[in-house]
Amino acid sequence: MGCTSSHSARVEDEIPKSQSVIRSAVLIQKWYRRYLARAEARRRCTWTIFQSIEYAGEQNQLKLYNFFNNMLSQMDTDALGQPKILRALSVSQRPVLIDTKTLEEEDNELLRLSDPDTIEVESTYRGVHLTFPLTQAQLQSLIKSFKTKQVLTPLNQAQLQSLIKSFKTKQPLHAKYLIQLLLETRAALKQKANINYATTSIAKQMTVCGDLHGKLDDLYMIFHKNGLPSVHNPYIFNGDFVDRGRNSVEIAVILFTCFLINKNEVYLNRGNHEDHVMNLRYGFVKELVKKYSMHAKRVIRLFEDVFSWLPIATIIDHKILVVHGGVSDSVDLNFLATIDRHKFLSILHPPRGENDTANLTDMQLREWKQVLDILWSDPRGQHGCHDNTFRGGGSYFGPDVTDYILSKHKLKRIIRSHECKPEGYEFCHNNKVLTIFSASNYYEEGSNKGAYVKLHGPDLEYQMVQYMSSKGANRKVTFAQRVTRVESSAIINLREKILGSKTELLEEFRKLDPEQTGKVNQYKWCSVMGCVLDMDLPWRTLRPKLARCDENGMVAYETTFEEMRIYHRYSGNGPTVTEMLYRQKDNLETLFRILDRDNSGQISMEEFEEVIQLLVKQQNMNCPLDQISDIARSIDLNHDGRIDFNEFLEAFRIVDSFGKFSEVQQQDLKSISSLDSIMTMKNCSFSMGTKRRISNLDDIKEYRP
Amino acid sequence: MADESKENADSLIADIHKRITEAFEIFDNENNKTVDVREVGTIIRSLGCCPTEAELTDMLVEIEEEDEAGYIRFEKFLGLMTKVLMERRYKPSPEDVLLKAFLVLDQDGKGYLTQDELAKYMTEDGEPFQQEELEEMLSAAVDPEKGTILYKEYVSRMAVEEV
């Protein structure tokens, strides 16, 4: 015991009882507040890790695309001997047929090729059959048929029966109906202008939802709390319906159905993920291929087109501007209204329809920037307008830019989405900008709430509604426990990134440790980690969870890897190549999908080698090309010259020194289902999960993934 | 020898500065070297200190800007916290002291506290909890079988978790 406490032990007898009660209460309170504060600091740290990883991925992708666009513009587009990937890329930039002269003809071709009448519905199909025009009853059927239920509580016989039945009917909407739905949606969207004008004059209210990202349970949560759309219950869905989550198709189907039934009460804004290029990388195309196999190509192409017909903005009562990303100082709504939005199949490509994509006129550049800014920008506290380097596209806009745009167009406020927020929403710029994000548990179960906003009355007052979907277990979890769990997941993700750069990290550490002591000081360790990984994280705070220190505070840098490394089933033990492939996994996937024109999941060996060579070039790496050929050959299990790239991508493992391995964490969000226990934040309950808590490494001897 | 101890002292301060800087940055959302005044208590506690609310208020008075209510600037924060950490102020209480505090509250010497008792103390005495803070404490402190707070077990459990 320290002197303080023994002093108070002596004095305590003389202090009146109530005083000692007060002192004890204060002691417990300050102790507990410290505990909560530390959990809060860890929560922020964890958040930073997830955001860093997310945006690094986006930057990565844009860099890749810029690289290819540059290569394309430097090459003659019809030249033979051009790498296949480039040819594939330039074709994917164009509409369906290369020879047509006008957009009109292209559209007719699209309609002809996707013709749903040529598709037959099998008698074994148990899903919903659609007829047009769509009705509310059909919407209800769709919603019901997509519901998934998870068994976590004891069932009685009746519940079991209905569960089995629900699994049977849980089927994606048949390709035939999906295509019909998409064609109807396309026709209806074509009638809309770039800017929707929404009014609350009839309903006296409006609901705005943000990113959903394929999280069907969150959409169901919103409908459960707020009702389905109708004349008296209008909705604006502010983009990013697809990618990342497992039910992007179902979300799109339901939202499009709602739109077709209530064309003047449901407003759909385009988000940066309603974009073919993003869909190649972030999961929507993968989902479509999985759910629609032989019809996938038609469906993918149609979605791509439908997305390009989505309006760019919605204005409520001439007061509130609703856009997915934000604004920039060059945004001009009058100019925006004149653009042919259909040109932008993907915002990441220059607009189509022009023959020579290499040289854009000033006007074309201006149009492109306009749409890019609206779909990709983020608000920031600093004044002015700057390039959004974090994401690689769009701008950062300050409160002055907000004021400028609002006053220019005589508007009062902006509602936007695009950024995940812990509470599901966030105000900034003197409450003139509201970010609304509707996908709860976006990074990990428990990472954040989702929210939507209701606007009431003549002044369009805000009412925020928050929620967090849950898996349905009944045990309550404290804030601190939830933080620990989400933190574990973030650290696992971070470790994988670290392992993916092990070779380079070790090189840099050794440069700073010329005497080969195996140790560097904390400052150097932090510096190397930050530089090599190019991630601005609180490394010092994270260090205890990532590497071991000795009594003098020197970091034993090899413990950062704890003898683990990335291993690929088909690349044996060649560390450099394996690491590089792992680091480039997302880029590889995107490129493979581009090459895989018929969505078979396979590409040729030459194509495979070509992709990797191009990546090596883009990344300016030293990579032995014969190793790449070896890998290609070893994956070609059937010796038929073709490679299953899904299998290739899924073959990464983390291996420890004993050769034991664990699965690489899947990047896809885990889909959370079960509507049986939808609860709001206060009563939030979900299972503890079985993730191991990551302790400080200094204190434990063994560390196993 | 003197050189070495000076070097140690320098690197100690440098180390403290880095810790403070990083803790501050975690809460500096806009990257503009300021944080919301309402978060300062959290930052100070995340650095390992255990001040009371009253002690926090005193600290804030020292570093708050006269003309910029609601914000704390990094330079002033750094100055204050360096002193606080060098002087090891507001050290957290060891486990046994904490246990003694619970013993005091357990006036009947039952060996446990009821939820009502703890709630009453925490929301009426000392520096009262907000409802959220109370709920958070109760959700982890209450023994699920007995429905009471077995404070000895609770304090030990929290001590392990804090590692």
Side-chain angles (χ1 to χ4, degrees):
Chain A
M1 276 204 215
C3 349
T4 323
S5 45
S6 56
H7 168 77
S8 56
R10 274 181 269 125
V11 173
E12 214 162 50
D13 300 338
E14 288 134 29
I15 292 176
K17 246 202 171 161
S18 62
Q19 271 231 358
S20 90
V21 160
I22 291 172
R23 282 173 42 171
S24 297
V26 170
L27 199 134
I28 294 171
Q29 284 154 347
K30 75 175 183 176
W31 159 77
Y32 196 69
R33 282 174 170 137
R34 177 171 167 268
Y35 170 73
L36 283 182
R38 295 180 80 178
E40 177 59 26
R42 279 162 53 217
R43 191 190 68 73
R44 303 259 174 143
C45 240
T46 302
W47 189 260
T48 309
I49 294 174
F50 279 126
Q51 294 226 299
S52 244
I53 293 179
E54 178 179 21
Y55 295 146
E58 278 179 9
Q59 260 187 52
N60 213 345
Q61 171 170 36
L62 265 91
K63 274 189 207 154
L64 182 73
Y65 260 79
N66 287 336
F67 174 74
F68 279 115
N69 281 332
N70 284 338
M71 280 186 83
L72 273 174
S73 65
Q74 283 161 28
M75 289 183 164
D76 190 354
T77 44
D78 291 316
L80 294 168
Q82 197 191 77
K84 259 188 172 175
I85 179 72
L86 287 184
R87 265 182 281 144
L89 247 185
S90 61
V91 165
S92 79
Q93 284 193 32
R94 305 275 181 98
V96 179
L97 289 184
I98 306 169
D99 287 341
T100 52
K101 299 277 185 281
T102 63
L103 288 176
E104 192 67 45
E105 289 176 2
E106 289 165 9
D107 291 351
N108 290 335
E109 272 305 308
L110 178 68
L111 284 163
R112 191 178 63 78
L113 282 175
S114 58
D115 190 2
D117 295 335
T118 59
I119 302 178
E120 263 202 47
V121 180
E122 311 78 12
S123 54
T124 50
Y125 174 66
R126 300 292 246 296
V128 175
H129 297 262
L130 291 184
T131 58
F132 295 83
L134 291 171
T135 61
Q136 192 76 354
Q138 291 191 72
L139 172 64
Q140 302 274 25
S141 303
L142 283 168
I143 289 177
K144 213 164 151 192
S145 84
F146 295 153
K147 259 189 201 185
T148 61
K149 283 181 196 284
Q150 264 199 17
V151 185
L152 283 166
T153 52
L155 288 179
N156 60 37
Q157 193 64 2
Q159 283 175 311
L160 188 62
Q161 302 279 32
S162 90
L163 186 74
I164 291 170
K165 204 162 160 209
S166 81
F167 279 153
K168 279 194 184 146
T169 56
K170 184 192 76 140
Q171 269 196 297
L173 182 65
H174 197 276
K176 181 192 181 90
Y177 301 128
L178 176 60
I179 290 175
Q180 286 175 333
L181 177 68
L182 288 173
L183 288 170
E184 289 283 325
T185 306
R186 186 177 179 277
L189 285 175
K190 266 180 110 160
Q191 307 293 320
K192 298 280 181 182
N194 295 345
I195 303 176
N196 287 321
Y197 285 91
T199 171
T200 60
S201 56
I202 298 174
K204 309 287 184 238
Q205 62 166 4
M206 177 67 71
T207 304
V208 183
C209 298
D211 295 31
L212 286 164
H213 281 302
K215 306 267 322 306
L216 195 59
D217 48 348
D218 285 318
L219 180 61
Y220 281 7
M221 171 78 83
I222 295 170
F223 284 159
H224 174 80
K225 284 171 157 315
N226 200 49
L228 288 173
S230 70
V231 169
H232 298 288
N233 193 13
Y235 274 84
I236 298 173
F237 291 97
N238 200 13
D240 278 13
F241 320 129
V242 302
D243 276 337
R244 298 188 193 275
R246 266 202 246 155
N247 295 104
S248 296
V249 186
E250 284 74 31
I251 296 236
V253 166
I254 292 177
L255 290 183
F256 290 161
T257 304
C258 288
F259 167 66
L260 287 173
I261 296 174
N262 307 281
K263 288 196 188 71
N264 297 317
E265 290 84 31
V266 172
Y267 301 92
L268 303 174
N269 281 348
R270 190 175 185 181
N272 65 309
H273 277 266
E274 275 70 57
D275 184 320
H276 182 63
V277 171
M278 298 297 277
N279 300 149
L280 282 169
R281 187 193 189 91
Y282 286 104
F284 187 41
V285 168
K286 188 174 179 178
E287 185 183 329
L288 286 172
V289 170
K290 186 168 159 215
K291 287 178 176 166
Y292 290 99
S293 51
M294 62 174 155
H295 299 298
K297 190 173 178 180
R298 288 194 224 193
V299 165
I300 288 170
R301 181 70 193 89
L302 250 185
F303 262 113
E304 182 182 27
D305 203 81
V306 168
F307 286 161
S308 73
W309 278 112
L310 285 167
I312 308 287
T314 299
I315 296 180
I316 309 172
D317 291 352
H318 298 283
K319 285 190 193 142
I320 302 183
L321 174 66
V322 185
V323 286
H324 178 73
V327 294
S328 71
D329 49 9
S330 47
V331 160
D332 182 330
L333 297 177
N334 299 318
F335 175 60
L336 177 68
T338 66
I339 298 175
D340 174 12
R341 68 180 186 274
H342 181 44
K343 288 198 288 215
F344 300 98
L345 266 190
S346 162
I347 314 289
L348 299 173
H349 286 159
R352 66 165 182 174
E354 333 293 335
N355 287 328
D356 181 357
T357 58
N359 296 312
L360 296 176
T361 63
D362 282 343
M363 174 60 87
Q364 287 163 347
L365 272 172
R366 198 182 156 210
E367 287 181 345
W368 187 13
K369 185 175 193 303
Q370 192 77 187
V371 179
L372 192 63
D373 279 344
I374 290 177
L375 262 48
W376 279 83
S377 297
D378 293 315
R380 285 291 177 266
Q382 286 96 338
H383 278 53
C385 203
H386 312 277
D387 283 341
N388 192 330
T389 47
F390 209 19
R391 291 196 196 256
S395 309
Y396 287 134
F397 62 100
D400 51 335
V401 177
T402 296
D403 286 338
Y404 167 64
I405 297 292
L406 288 176
S407 85
K408 182 163 151 189
H409 298 99
K410 300 192 179 36
L411 297 167
K412 297 272 164 51
R413 298 175 243 159
I414 297 176
I415 298 178
R416 45 87 63 175
S417 303
H418 197 40
E419 282 181 296
C420 184
K421 298 292 179 191
E423 294 293 311
Y425 72 93
E426 192 176 271
F427 284 98
C428 65
H429 293 187
N430 299 319
N431 292 341
K432 290 196 197 139
V433 175
L434 167 65
T435 300
I436 190 84
F437 195 87
S438 301
S440 66
N441 307 308
Y442 180 65
Y443 292 120
E444 170 59 67
E445 193 178 334
S447 67
N448 64 288
K449 300 179 205 175
Y452 60 87
V453 60
K454 292 202 72 137
L455 283 68
H456 293 284
D459 293 325
L460 298 176
E461 278 171 32
Y462 289 144
Q463 179 209 345
M464 315 302 310
V465 181
Q466 297 167 294
Y467 51 83
M468 197 189 256
S469 305
S470 82
K471 268 201 171 103
N474 286 324
R475 285 163 59 194
K476 272 179 94 179
V477 181
T478 65
F479 166 69
Q481 285 167 332
R482 182 159 44 89
V483 167
T484 302
R485 186 203 155 100
V486 180
E487 181 184 47
S488 289
S489 174
I491 298 286
I492 289 172
N493 278 315
L494 186 56
R495 282 195 156 270
E496 285 171 8
K497 279 207 92 65
I498 290 172
L499 285 173
S501 293
K502 180 173 174 178
T503 306
E504 197 184 341
L505 283 166
L506 275 174
E507 252 178 58
E508 294 301 315
F509 283 138
R510 287 180 179 139
K511 279 185 201 166
L512 296 174
D513 177 27
E515 282 152 48
Q516 300 294 310
T517 60
K519 297 181 182 177
V520 292
N521 68 33
Q522 289 201 44
Y523 177 71
K524 286 181 183 152
W525 183 88
C526 295
S527 172
V528 168
M529 296 298 281
C531 271
V532 171
L533 295 175
D534 195 17
M535 287 172 83
D536 184 16
L537 294 177
W539 290 107
R540 196 179 186 80
T541 311
L542 291 170
R543 198 274 315 154
K545 297 203 180 336
L546 297 172
R548 250 181 285 201
C549 236
D550 66 13
E551 330 70 60
N552 299 320
M554 296 291 280
V555 182
Y557 51 81
E558 278 167 11
T559 62
T560 313
F561 313 102
E562 286 293 346
E563 293 156 11
M564 290 188 288
R565 57 193 160 74
I566 303 277
Y567 167 83
H568 190 275
R569 212 189 303 147
Y570 299 115
S571 73
N573 292 326
T576 324
V577 171
T578 309
E579 272 179 36
M580 182 274 287
L581 291 174
Y582 178 73
R583 257 198 326 276
Q584 295 301 324
K585 202 157 152 300
D586 291 340
N587 281 341
L588 284 174
E589 182 167 0
T590 310
L591 295 172
F592 290 150
R593 284 194 196 287
I594 292 175
L595 277 172
D596 182 21
R597 306 292 308 291
D598 55 0
N599 302 120
S600 61
Q602 294 196 330
I603 53 175
S604 73
M605 278 211 347
E606 293 81 40
E607 288 167 331
F608 178 83
E609 287 185 39
E610 202 180 86
V611 165
I612 299 190
Q613 282 170 22
L614 270 170
L615 262 180
V616 166
K617 188 169 171 183
Q618 189 237 341
Q619 300 281 322
N620 276 327
M621 282 185 296
N622 286 326
C623 184
L625 296 177
D626 54 337
Q627 275 201 39
I628 296 174
S629 309
D630 288 343
I631 298 168
R633 265 193 295 277
S634 62
I635 305 173
D636 179 14
L637 300 172
N638 300 330
H639 304 292
D640 60 355
R642 299 192 67 69
I643 289 168
D644 184 324
F645 62 79
N646 283 314
E647 225 192 290
F648 170 77
L649 292 168
E650 277 155 26
F652 286 101
R653 297 283 181 272
I654 295 177
V655 185
D656 67 15
S657 54
F658 299 112
K660 285 198 320 212
F661 63 83
S662 61
E663 300 281 330
V664 162
Q665 185 100 327
Q666 286 309 317
Q667 297 287 9
D668 299 338
L669 289 179
K670 298 165 198 61
S671 171
I672 298 160
S673 40
S674 173
L675 293 169
D676 294 316
S677 37
I678 295 168
M679 292 183 190
T680 54
M681 192 46 212
K682 278 225 152 52
N683 306 322
C684 185
S685 68
F686 41 83
S687 66
M688 278 292 284
T690 51
K691 291 224 175 74
R692 208 179 50 81
R693 192 174 70 82
I694 308 286
S695 319
N696 288 356
L697 290 184
D698 295 335
D699 306 307
I700 53 173
K701 302 279 184 284
E702 305 259 321
Y703 178 66
R704 285 282 174 264
Chain B
M1 268 308 247
D3 279 343
E4 203 185 280
S5 66
K6 179 175 189 309
E7 212 179 85
N8 285 339
D10 280 346
S11 69
L12 177 65
I13 294 183
D15 189 69
I16 285 179
H17 276 187
K18 292 198 192 93
R19 281 178 57 203
I20 296 171
T21 307
E22 210 174 67
F24 190 90
E25 276 171 4
I26 288 173
F27 288 84
D28 178 9
N29 298 326
E30 293 290 340
N31 272 331
N32 58 0
K33 301 278 197 197
T34 61
V35 296
D36 189 319
V37 66
R38 291 166 294 183
E39 314 231 80
V40 173
T42 311
I43 306 176
I44 293 176
R45 287 172 169 138
S46 77
L47 280 164
C49 302
C50 204
T52 64
E53 295 289 297
E55 286 162 339
L56 263 183
T57 312
D58 289 341
M59 280 193 267
L60 278 174
V61 160
E62 271 187 59
I63 57 178
E64 213 164 5
E65 298 287 321
E66 304 87 36
D67 49 349
E68 245 181 329
Y71 288 102
I72 299 293
R73 292 192 157 283
F74 176 64
E75 296 79 28
K76 284 198 174 172
F77 182 78
L78 180 67
L80 172 70
M81 281 315 290
T82 307
K83 267 193 293 175
V84 165
L85 291 181
M86 292 285 288
E87 292 167 17
R88 298 167 169 242
R89 282 193 236 165
Y90 316 122
K91 290 212 84 181
S93 320
E95 198 180 323
D96 52 348
V97 173
L98 194 54
L99 186 55
K100 277 194 103 177
F102 274 101
L103 284 168
V104 167
L105 297 186
D106 180 16
Q107 299 192 342
D108 309 328
K110 306 188 290 297
Y112 63 85
L113 286 170
T114 67
Q115 288 188 47
D116 288 339
E117 278 181 304
L118 185 61
K120 189 164 186 294
Y121 285 127
M122 292 294 103
T123 57
E124 290 179 20
D125 294 317
E127 295 176 323
F129 272 171
Q130 302 288 329
Q131 191 59 22
E132 268 170 18
E133 288 169 308
L134 174 69
E135 277 175 17
E136 182 64 25
M137 177 183 253
L138 285 177
S139 61
V142 174
D143 180 277
E145 281 174 41
K146 304 226 167 85
T148 58
I149 292 103
L150 308 171
Y151 48 81
K152 191 155 192 292
E153 181 271 337
Y154 176 53
V155 168
S156 309
R157 184 168 27 107
M158 293 290 272
V160 169
E161 236 186 85
E162 267 286 273
V163 157

